[in-house]
């Protein structure tokens, strides 16, 4: 299923899927099996993951085929970038993965309108800013952050379980910030 | 004494109508006069003349008659006087509500009663025979009329008792009557039985009349009820029940310690002690006897009725534990009568906590919990249902707060004491010591007052309530856990006992109800576990992999829906500040809607689930809402009017709250940009978020607006016009539950209406004006029973139509041929003319 050129080894794919699994749980299946309607083919192809220059891309098969026409050194990007490998070798999701994550998220947090801006500037989500939260979160799970009108804002990692959230004080962190759509402005160059 | 008695019992015979001449002074009269010379003496000194005059004027009496008349009057008067005397002698306790034998109470029997009680002390501790004889006399000397009345009455009583055996708590007099009736019931039985019965009645009456002096008779009654005869045992038990219920004091008897026994006490105290000790010991013996009897199937009903009545009326008294144990042992008895009796008793214990100060509640709940544990959750649902009548204080859930308050108060008091103390210090020691003494005294008095007063201690009450609550929840959690266990391990435990109960998890339904009711009292620490187990139950094993799946399949759809509802209630009542999205339960509901079958599952539960999960929740994802809207619309196409109405009400509510989802009402498939990552609607997706419902169109509404039920069709069309009529913002006030109830009640009344319509259609069809649309409408209305008939009719109808068409075709053909014939004729004629014309020309 994962047609990766030479460089995508087992360890790398494990790192990528583990990270995605934290956010999507069993819905990871949908990401992998999602049919793609790109290209001239009548029968829908699949999406696959590619590693290119330390970045991981989510690309449709037809696009991969066509990308072979371009020399690897000349290729800047293809498909959707979902994350990158740091120099230390760990995998980080980037904001571009938000669309993929938000449609398949397992745990969600909705922010009150007052707390949205704070999050979009790269701050963590405080308990006071929580509008709504899915049940059954476990500390360490990936969480997708939405605004109250269901617009995905970013994602992060939960620090508390849902039930503990009920008891904590309003200034405690509930979700640690990992990526938000504000980065498109703030870190335009890096992306 | 004797004489007096005889006189009372003498029937008040009316003078027979005798012709005046024949009246003679009978021997009896003479005797009477001789006996009562005191009374009769003055008769001789009467002025006969004046009397004659007087009587002649009033009545036509003469001579001797007059004398007799006066004698009789006198006699009556004296009799009245005597009975009056008795009335005075009777003390108020004795005069208690004892009905007379002719049913109209009064003190005639009261005057009989003291006789019995007088017998006891005088002939007193003498031999049984003597007393028996006296009593016999008492009974035998009833007049015929009275006896007849009594017979009738006893029969009536017996009937009444058969009718309402459980109705025991009435005014004091009823048990007595009951006992009397029971005792008098079987007149044809042998003499021993008769005498035993009589004896029981006598003793019972005596005890009720004066318990203190007759307390010893309890033992005798117990002795009698050890008889071999079943009837006597039963009667004995019931009469003892009535007696105990009456004479048990309003406090718990504590037997004196040895030290106390050694002390010299007054005569009254001694008497009291003796009384209490006897009462207690015989009560104990009685209970032991009952417990022994309870094990025999023949006596089970009687024994349990006694237990329940006692527990109901004297829950404060000694040996309550044994009573409770016996009742709860039978709380899930397969016998309906027994079980109902036990359940109502336990419920009344829960509701009337004032009688026993709440201790019995704790004990009962604990015993039930143990019972559930011991029986491995295989009990009748009623036994858990009783928890529903428990009531807890509202602030029980927040113990810290009140503690804090107490502390503050304590501090305040302390501070005040501190303020006072400096002043005291300046005083001299004497004053100080006196002050301390006073304080001590006051404390002591306070403590004593507390002990004596019946106002329940707040802290004590709180402690008991929390104990009760923990036992209740322990039971509930045990049931939940047990339900989740695989069924294989349980198959050995036989469930024959629960023939009437529902399925393999008889306790689950009442347990879920209870959790819903007490959801606001659940500790937050348990919440995680509770939600997890509810989730597992709700998903019914469909999500879990493989083996545990089979066992949970046995849960019905209603039960699973109930799990979802309870989860929502628990969440809502506990984490009100935090809006938690119960994603998994929504997934379950989404799938359960499809599994719903109208006959098998309870529509009320579904409607409730729709209300609590979809209507009352404050905020939803758009995707999820769209998925639910689509599914509800599909659902309402498939089922009866009540279900589809409930679904439509929910649907409307969702559409009103989520304006974005009104895209579904637009007529372009695909949904455009809002449809998210899933571009195509997937009706079989199990997750509402992944179904891509926003890409679909609510074509179901169009069909539903042609629904046969007018309410459904108007509802559907109003929903369909929602996107165009923008100003319609008001939220509908009707809840899905209400809608469901309305229509399911209406269902019965609606069917005949549709029948009438069908008849009209038939008539129309007879005229041959039936249109295809009408027929289609009719087919909707058809019930499956007369489908065959319908088919026949339809085929007849179409046959007719075809015949008509055939006819028309033939006629047309005929017309055409005749026309062509005519034309041919004409042509021939013309040809003839043509040929003829030239001829003359030629």
């Amino acid at each position: 299923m994962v047609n990766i050129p030479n460089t995508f080894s087992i360890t790398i794919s494990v790192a990528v899927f583990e990270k995605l699994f934290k956010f999507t749980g069993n819905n990871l299946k949908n990401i992998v099996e999602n049919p793609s309607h790109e290209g001239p083919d009548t029968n829908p192809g699949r999406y696959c993951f590619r590693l290119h220059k330390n970045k991981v891309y989510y690309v449709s098969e037809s696009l991969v085929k066509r990308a072979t026409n371009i020399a690897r050194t000349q290729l800047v990007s293809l498909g959707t970038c979902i994350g990158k490998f740091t120099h230390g070798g760990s995998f980080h999701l980037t904001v571009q993965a938000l669309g993929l994550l938000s449609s398949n998220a397992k745990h969600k947090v909705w922010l009150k309108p007052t707390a949205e801006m704070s999050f979009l500037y790269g701050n963590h989500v405080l308990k006071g800013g929580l509008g709504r939260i899915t049940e059954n979160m476990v500390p360490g799970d990936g969480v997708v952050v939405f605004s109250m009108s269901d617009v995905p804002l970013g994602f992060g990692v939960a620090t508390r379980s849902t039930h503990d959230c009920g008891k904590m004080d309003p200034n405690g962190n509930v979700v640690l910030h990992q990526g938000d759509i504000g980065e498109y402005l703030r870190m335009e160059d890096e992306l | 004494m004797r004489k007096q008695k005889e006189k009372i019992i003498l029937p008040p015979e009316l003078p027979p109508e005798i012709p005046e001449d024949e009246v003679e002074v009978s021997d009896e009269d003479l005797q009477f006069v001789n006996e009562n010379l005191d009374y009769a003496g003055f008769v001789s000194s009467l002025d006969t003349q004046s009397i004659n005059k007087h009587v002649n004027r009033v009545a036509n009496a003469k001579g001797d008659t007059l004398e007799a008349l006066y004698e009789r009057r006198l006699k009556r008067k004296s009799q009245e006087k005597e009975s009056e005397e008795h009335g005075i002698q009777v003390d108020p306790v004795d005069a208690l509500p004892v009905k007379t034998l002719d049913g109209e109470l009064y003190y005639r029997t009261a005057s009989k009663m003291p006789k019995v009680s007088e017998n006891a002390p005088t002939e007193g501790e003498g031999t049984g025979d003597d007393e028996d004889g006296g009593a016999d006399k008492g009974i035998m000397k009833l007049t015929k009329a009275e006896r007849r009345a009594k017979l009738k009455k006893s029969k009536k009583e017996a009937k009444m008792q058969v009718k309402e055996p459980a109705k025991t708590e009435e005014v004091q007099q009823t048990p007595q009557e009951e006992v009397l009736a029971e005792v008098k019931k079987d007149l044809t039985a042998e003499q021993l039985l008769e005498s035993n019965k009589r004896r029981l009645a006598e003793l019972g009456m005596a005890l009720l009349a004066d318990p203190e002096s007759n307390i010893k008779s309890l033992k005798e009654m117990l002795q009698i009820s050890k008889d071999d005869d079943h009837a006597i045992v039963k009667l004995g038990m019931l009469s003892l029940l009535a007696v105990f219920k009456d004479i048990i004091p309003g406090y718990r008897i504590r037997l004196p310690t040895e030290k106390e026994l050694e002390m010299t006490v007054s005569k009254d105290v001694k008497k009291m002690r003796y009384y209490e000790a006897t009462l207690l010991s015989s009560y104990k013996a009685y209970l032991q006897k009952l417990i022994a009897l309870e094990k025999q199937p023949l006596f089970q009903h009687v024994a349990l009725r006694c237990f329940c009545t006692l527990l109901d009326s004297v829950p404060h008294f000694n040996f309550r534990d044994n009573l409770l144990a016996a009742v709860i042992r039978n709380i899930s008895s397969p016998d309906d009568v027994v079980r109902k009796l036990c359940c109502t008793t336990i419920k009344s214990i829960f509701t009337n906590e004032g009688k026993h100060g709440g201790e019995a509640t704790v004990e009962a709940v604990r015993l039930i919990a143990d019972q559930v544990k011991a029986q491995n959750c295989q009990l009748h649902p009623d036994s858990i249902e009783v928890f529903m009548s428990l009531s807890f204080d509202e602030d029980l859930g927040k113990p810290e707060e009140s503690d804090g308050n107490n502390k503050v108060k304590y501090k305040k008091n302390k501070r005040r004491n501190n303020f006072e103390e400096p002043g005291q210090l300046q005083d001299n020691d004497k004053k100080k010591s006196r002050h301390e003494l006073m304080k001590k005294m006051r404390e002591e008095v306070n403590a004593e007052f507390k002990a004596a007063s019946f106002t329940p201690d707040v802290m004590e009450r709180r402690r008991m309530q929390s104990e009760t609550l923990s036992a209740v929840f322990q039971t509930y959690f045990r049931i939940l856990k047990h339900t989740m266990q695989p069924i294989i391990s349980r198959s050995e435990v036989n469930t024959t006992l629960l023939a009437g109960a529902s399925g393999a998890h008889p306790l689950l339904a009442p347990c879920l109800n209870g959790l819903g009711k007490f959801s606001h009292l659940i500790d937050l620490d348990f919440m995680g576990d509770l939600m997890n187990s509810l989730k597992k139950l709700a998903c019914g094993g469909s999500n879990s992999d493989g083996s545990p799946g089979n066992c949970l399949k046995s849960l019905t759809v209603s039960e699973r829906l109930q799990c979802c509802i309870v989860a929502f209630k628990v969440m809502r009542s506990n984490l009100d500040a935090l809006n938690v999205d119960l994603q998994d339960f929504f997934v379950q509901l989404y799938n359960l809607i499809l599994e719903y079958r109208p006959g098998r599952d309870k529509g009320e539960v579904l409607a409730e689930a729709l209300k609590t999960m979809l209507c009352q929740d404050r905020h939803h994802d758009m995707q999820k809402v769209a998925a639910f809207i689509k599914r509800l619309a599909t659902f309402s196409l498939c089922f009866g009017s009540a279900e589809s109405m409930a679904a439509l009400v929910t649907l409307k509510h969702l559409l009103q709250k989520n304006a974005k989802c009104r895209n579904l009402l637009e007529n372009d498939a695909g949904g455009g940009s809002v449809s998210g990552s899933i571009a195509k609607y997937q009706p079989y997706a199990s997750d509402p978020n992944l179904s891509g419902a926003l890409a679909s169109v609510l074509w179901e509404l169009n069909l539903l607006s042609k629904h046969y039920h007018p309410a459904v069709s108007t509802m559907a069309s109003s929903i369909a016009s929602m996107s165009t009529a923008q100003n319609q913002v008001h939220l509908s006030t009707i809840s899905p539950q209400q809608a469901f109830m309305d229509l399911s009640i209406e269902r019965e009344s609606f069917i005949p209406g549709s029948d009438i319509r069908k008849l009209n259609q038939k008539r129309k069809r007879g005229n041959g004006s039936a249109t295809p649309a009408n027929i289609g409408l009719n087919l909707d209305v058809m019930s499956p029973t007369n489908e065959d008939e319908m088919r026949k009719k339809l085929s007849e109808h179409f046959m007719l139509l075809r015949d008509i068409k055939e006819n028309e075709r033939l006629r047309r053909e005929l017309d055409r041929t005749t026309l062509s014939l005519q034309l041919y004729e004409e042509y021939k004629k013309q040809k003839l003319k043509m040929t003829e014309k030239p001829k003359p020309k030629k």
Side-chain angles (χ1 to χ4, degrees), chain B residues 537-556:
Chain B
L537 288 178
C539 71
S542 58
N543 273 8
S544 56
D545 19 55
S547 53
N550 326 338
C551 71
L552 294 175
K553 278 277 152 58
S554 54
L555 282 186
T556 64

PDB file of all heavy atoms in Angstrom, chain B residues 537-556:
ATOM      1  N   LEU B 537     -21.452  -1.657  26.692  1.00  0.00           N
ATOM      2  CA  LEU B 537     -22.800  -2.218  26.601  1.00  0.00           C
ATOM      3  C   LEU B 537     -23.541  -1.638  25.412  1.00  0.00           C
ATOM      4  O   LEU B 537     -24.277  -2.343  24.711  1.00  0.00           O
ATOM      5  CB  LEU B 537     -23.572  -1.910  27.883  1.00  0.00           C
ATOM      6  CG  LEU B 537     -23.128  -2.680  29.105  1.00  0.00           C
ATOM      7  CD1 LEU B 537     -23.932  -2.247  30.297  1.00  0.00           C
ATOM      8  CD2 LEU B 537     -23.302  -4.152  28.874  1.00  0.00           C
ATOM      9  N   ALA B 538     -23.358  -0.344  25.190  1.00  0.00           N
ATOM     10  CA  ALA B 538     -24.114   0.311  24.128  1.00  0.00           C
ATOM     11  C   ALA B 538     -23.696  -0.214  22.768  1.00  0.00           C
ATOM     12  O   ALA B 538     -24.523  -0.372  21.879  1.00  0.00           O
ATOM     13  CB  ALA B 538     -23.903   1.816  24.200  1.00  0.00           C
ATOM     14  N   CYS B 539     -22.404  -0.483  22.636  1.00  0.00           N
ATOM     15  CA  CYS B 539     -21.977  -0.933  21.310  1.00  0.00           C
ATOM     16  C   CYS B 539     -22.314  -2.398  21.112  1.00  0.00           C
ATOM     17  O   CYS B 539     -22.200  -2.909  20.001  1.00  0.00           O
ATOM     18  CB  CYS B 539     -20.510  -0.652  21.069  1.00  0.00           C
ATOM     19  SG  CYS B 539     -19.412  -1.662  22.012  1.00  0.00           S
ATOM     20  N   GLY B 540     -22.728  -3.061  22.161  1.00  0.00           N
ATOM     21  CA  GLY B 540     -23.249  -4.420  22.010  1.00  0.00           C
ATOM     22  C   GLY B 540     -22.281  -5.366  21.353  1.00  0.00           C
ATOM     23  O   GLY B 540     -22.670  -6.344  20.744  1.00  0.00           O
ATOM     24  N   GLY B 541     -20.992  -5.092  21.476  1.00  0.00           N
ATOM     25  CA  GLY B 541     -19.990  -6.027  20.982  1.00  0.00           C
ATOM     26  C   GLY B 541     -19.710  -5.889  19.500  1.00  0.00           C
ATOM     27  O   GLY B 541     -18.874  -6.597  18.967  1.00  0.00           O
ATOM     28  N   SER B 542     -20.395  -4.984  18.823  1.00  0.00           N
ATOM     29  CA  SER B 542     -20.190  -4.903  17.382  1.00  0.00           C
ATOM     30  C   SER B 542     -18.810  -4.324  17.068  1.00  0.00           C
ATOM     31  O   SER B 542     -18.214  -4.659  16.060  1.00  0.00           O
ATOM     32  CB  SER B 542     -21.279  -4.030  16.754  1.00  0.00           C
ATOM     33  OG  SER B 542     -21.254  -2.756  17.338  1.00  0.00           O
ATOM     34  N   ASN B 543     -18.314  -3.469  17.950  1.00  0.00           N
ATOM     35  CA  ASN B 543     -17.016  -2.857  17.685  1.00  0.00           C
ATOM     36  C   ASN B 543     -15.861  -3.726  18.176  1.00  0.00           C
ATOM     37  O   ASN B 543     -14.804  -3.752  17.592  1.00  0.00           O
ATOM     38  CB  ASN B 543     -16.924  -1.492  18.369  1.00  0.00           C
ATOM     39  CG  ASN B 543     -17.481  -0.406  17.476  1.00  0.00           C
ATOM     40  OD1 ASN B 543     -18.049  -0.715  16.432  1.00  0.00           O
ATOM     41  ND2 ASN B 543     -17.313   0.837  17.879  1.00  0.00           N
ATOM     42  N   SER B 544     -16.095  -4.391  19.284  1.00  0.00           N
ATOM     43  CA  SER B 544     -15.012  -5.185  19.852  1.00  0.00           C
ATOM     44  C   SER B 544     -14.751  -6.382  18.956  1.00  0.00           C
ATOM     45  O   SER B 544     -15.617  -6.855  18.219  1.00  0.00           O
ATOM     46  CB  SER B 544     -15.381  -5.645  21.254  1.00  0.00           C
ATOM     47  OG  SER B 544     -16.586  -6.348  21.207  1.00  0.00           O
ATOM     48  N   ASP B 545     -13.564  -6.891  19.059  1.00  0.00           N
ATOM     49  CA  ASP B 545     -13.179  -7.910  18.086  1.00  0.00           C
ATOM     50  C   ASP B 545     -13.493  -9.322  18.571  1.00  0.00           C
ATOM     51  O   ASP B 545     -13.042  -9.744  19.621  1.00  0.00           O
ATOM     52  CB  ASP B 545     -11.681  -7.787  17.768  1.00  0.00           C
ATOM     53  CG  ASP B 545     -10.957  -7.006  18.835  1.00  0.00           C
ATOM     54  OD1 ASP B 545     -11.065  -7.404  20.025  1.00  0.00           O
ATOM     55  OD2 ASP B 545     -10.347  -5.988  18.514  1.00  0.00           O
ATOM     56  N   GLY B 546     -14.270 -10.004  17.775  1.00  0.00           N
ATOM     57  CA  GLY B 546     -14.415 -11.445  17.936  1.00  0.00           C
ATOM     58  C   GLY B 546     -15.178 -11.929  19.143  1.00  0.00           C
ATOM     59  O   GLY B 546     -16.359 -11.647  19.288  1.00  0.00           O
ATOM     60  N   SER B 547     -14.467 -12.644  20.011  1.00  0.00           N
ATOM     61  CA  SER B 547     -15.115 -13.503  20.996  1.00  0.00           C
ATOM     62  C   SER B 547     -16.138 -12.809  21.898  1.00  0.00           C
ATOM     63  O   SER B 547     -17.226 -13.345  22.085  1.00  0.00           O
ATOM     64  CB  SER B 547     -14.050 -14.197  21.838  1.00  0.00           C
ATOM     65  OG  SER B 547     -13.160 -13.237  22.365  1.00  0.00           O
ATOM     66  N   PRO B 548     -15.800 -11.656  22.494  1.00  0.00           N
ATOM     67  CA  PRO B 548     -16.802 -11.110  23.401  1.00  0.00           C
ATOM     68  C   PRO B 548     -18.044 -10.630  22.676  1.00  0.00           C
ATOM     69  O   PRO B 548     -19.027 -10.281  23.299  1.00  0.00           O
ATOM     70  CB  PRO B 548     -16.079  -9.960  24.088  1.00  0.00           C
ATOM     71  CG  PRO B 548     -14.984  -9.599  23.187  1.00  0.00           C
ATOM     72  CD  PRO B 548     -14.622 -10.820  22.417  1.00  0.00           C
ATOM     73  N   GLY B 549     -17.971 -10.605  21.374  1.00  0.00           N
ATOM     74  CA  GLY B 549     -19.100 -10.112  20.598  1.00  0.00           C
ATOM     75  C   GLY B 549     -20.375 -10.904  20.819  1.00  0.00           C
ATOM     76  O   GLY B 549     -21.441 -10.323  20.989  1.00  0.00           O
ATOM     77  N   ASN B 550     -20.262 -12.211  20.888  1.00  0.00           N
ATOM     78  CA  ASN B 550     -21.461 -13.048  20.927  1.00  0.00           C
ATOM     79  C   ASN B 550     -22.314 -12.766  22.153  1.00  0.00           C
ATOM     80  O   ASN B 550     -23.525 -12.681  22.085  1.00  0.00           O
ATOM     81  CB  ASN B 550     -21.102 -14.538  20.945  1.00  0.00           C
ATOM     82  CG  ASN B 550     -19.873 -14.815  20.135  1.00  0.00           C
ATOM     83  OD1 ASN B 550     -19.538 -14.026  19.257  1.00  0.00           O
ATOM     84  ND2 ASN B 550     -19.211 -15.903  20.442  1.00  0.00           N
ATOM     85  N   CYS B 551     -21.624 -12.618  23.281  1.00  0.00           N
ATOM     86  CA  CYS B 551     -22.360 -12.519  24.523  1.00  0.00           C
ATOM     87  C   CYS B 551     -23.164 -11.233  24.556  1.00  0.00           C
ATOM     88  O   CYS B 551     -24.263 -11.195  25.070  1.00  0.00           O
ATOM     89  CB  CYS B 551     -21.412 -12.563  25.702  1.00  0.00           C
ATOM     90  SG  CYS B 551     -20.440 -11.080  25.859  1.00  0.00           S
ATOM     91  N   LEU B 552     -22.589 -10.181  24.026  1.00  0.00           N
ATOM     92  CA  LEU B 552     -23.270  -8.902  24.146  1.00  0.00           C
ATOM     93  C   LEU B 552     -24.369  -8.751  23.110  1.00  0.00           C
ATOM     94  O   LEU B 552     -25.164  -7.844  23.176  1.00  0.00           O
ATOM     95  CB  LEU B 552     -22.257  -7.777  24.023  1.00  0.00           C
ATOM     96  CG  LEU B 552     -21.275  -7.766  25.197  1.00  0.00           C
ATOM     97  CD1 LEU B 552     -20.208  -6.720  24.983  1.00  0.00           C
ATOM     98  CD2 LEU B 552     -21.995  -7.499  26.494  1.00  0.00           C
ATOM     99  N   LYS B 553     -24.370  -9.648  22.168  1.00  0.00           N
ATOM    100  CA  LYS B 553     -25.431  -9.584  21.162  1.00  0.00           C
ATOM    101  C   LYS B 553     -26.804  -9.751  21.800  1.00  0.00           C
ATOM    102  O   LYS B 553     -27.804  -9.342  21.260  1.00  0.00           O
ATOM    103  CB  LYS B 553     -25.216 -10.687  20.122  1.00  0.00           C
ATOM    104  CG  LYS B 553     -24.199 -10.318  19.065  1.00  0.00           C
ATOM    105  CD  LYS B 553     -24.820  -9.493  17.957  1.00  0.00           C
ATOM    106  CE  LYS B 553     -23.818  -8.576  17.293  1.00  0.00           C
ATOM    107  NZ  LYS B 553     -22.686  -9.263  16.731  1.00  0.00           N
ATOM    108  N   SER B 554     -26.792 -10.382  22.963  1.00  0.00           N
ATOM    109  CA  SER B 554     -28.069 -10.672  23.591  1.00  0.00           C
ATOM    110  C   SER B 554     -28.756  -9.414  24.122  1.00  0.00           C
ATOM    111  O   SER B 554     -29.927  -9.461  24.466  1.00  0.00           O
ATOM    112  CB  SER B 554     -27.880 -11.668  24.721  1.00  0.00           C
ATOM    113  OG  SER B 554     -26.896 -11.172  25.586  1.00  0.00           O
ATOM    114  N   LEU B 555     -28.020  -8.335  24.192  1.00  0.00           N
ATOM    115  CA  LEU B 555     -28.662  -7.096  24.631  1.00  0.00           C
ATOM    116  C   LEU B 555     -29.619  -6.613  23.544  1.00  0.00           C
ATOM    117  O   LEU B 555     -29.265  -6.601  22.375  1.00  0.00           O
ATOM    118  CB  LEU B 555     -27.611  -6.021  24.862  1.00  0.00           C
ATOM    119  CG  LEU B 555     -26.815  -6.111  26.148  1.00  0.00           C
ATOM    120  CD1 LEU B 555     -25.929  -4.898  26.267  1.00  0.00           C
ATOM    121  CD2 LEU B 555     -27.736  -6.181  27.324  1.00  0.00           C
ATOM    122  N   THR B 556     -30.792  -6.207  23.955  1.00  0.00           N
ATOM    123  CA  THR B 556     -31.741  -5.738  22.952  1.00  0.00           C
ATOM    124  C   THR B 556     -31.418  -4.301  22.564  1.00  0.00           C
ATOM    125  O   THR B 556     -30.638  -3.621  23.233  1.00  0.00           O
ATOM    126  CB  THR B 556     -33.168  -5.784  23.494  1.00  0.00           C
ATOM    127  OG1 THR B 556     -33.236  -4.862  24.579  1.00  0.00           O
ATOM    128  CG2 THR B 556     -33.529  -7.156  23.972  1.00  0.00           C
TER     129      THR B 556
END
